Amino acid sequence: MSGFDKEKEFENAIVEYGGIITKICYYFSSDTDEFKDLRQEVLYNIWKGWDKFRNDSKLSTWIYRVSFNTCVSYNRKEIKRKNTLSIDDVLDIPEETELSKLEKYNAMHKLIQQLVYEERAIILLWLDEKPYEEIAELMGLPRNTVAVKLKRIKEKLVKMSKEG
């Protein structure tokens, strides 16, 4: 394959699956600068591994794995924790107040950021409406384990939102 063909395939894949990359980077970043850094790192790693993709899985699955693993590695390298808005601050709103969709989305983002990496991956895949079988394949877990973990993660998120 010529260099031009490789670049064109890469560009087409990024256009098609850019939403996956953006969503994963968003959930692993605490601010705009970190998001940009993460996204750049993910794109670099996808490019670097482009020749190694063997079509053993769907391209979207491979891109998800590279994106997720890059974000996990990036976060592990971070020595200091970022100062983020606490859940108490986000969810300390009277029940009669109607939250906008953006406020609800931001509150959920803050909750998901508090999950451990595996839980984040599972809930993000579920939010992306991936079937349990695909989540199991991506995570290297049995399907039933994914179902149990997903149920527990949802319960954990509900509990975390009420503790605020």
Side-chain angles (χ1 to χ4, degrees), residues 52-59 62:
K52 296 175 186 157
F53 178 64
R54 298 179 309 252
N55 289 316
D56 292 342
S57 61
K58 293 192 291 187
L59 182 58
W62 181 78

Side-chain angles (χ1 to χ4, degrees), residues 55-67:
N55 289 316
D56 292 342
S57 61
K58 293 192 291 187
L59 182 58
S60 62
T61 301
W62 181 78
I63 288 175
Y64 184 93
R65 282 183 182 163
V66 172
S67 301

Side-chain angles (χ1 to χ4, degrees), residues 83-145:
N83 291 330
T84 58
L85 197 56
S86 74
I87 296 302
D88 294 334
D89 294 337
V90 173
L91 298 177
D92 189 23
I93 300 168
E95 286 184 28
E96 56 273 356
T97 303
E98 181 60 35
L99 295 175
S100 71
K101 286 184 179 182
L102 179 59
E103 289 171 319
K104 288 179 183 179
Y105 184 78
N106 286 335
M108 181 58 71
H109 170 70
K110 297 295 182 192
L111 290 171
I112 290 172
Q113 276 188 318
Q114 293 185 19
L115 298 173
V116 297
Y117 297 122
E118 182 182 66
E119 292 172 336
R120 280 189 209 177
I122 292 170
I123 197 70
L124 289 175
L125 287 166
W126 180 77
L127 288 170
D128 279 341
E129 300 179 0
K130 301 290 184 197
Y132 283 21
E133 291 76 16
E134 189 171 341
I135 296 171
E137 178 188 338
L138 278 167
M139 299 302 298
L141 298 169
R143 185 209 178 278
N144 290 343
T145 302

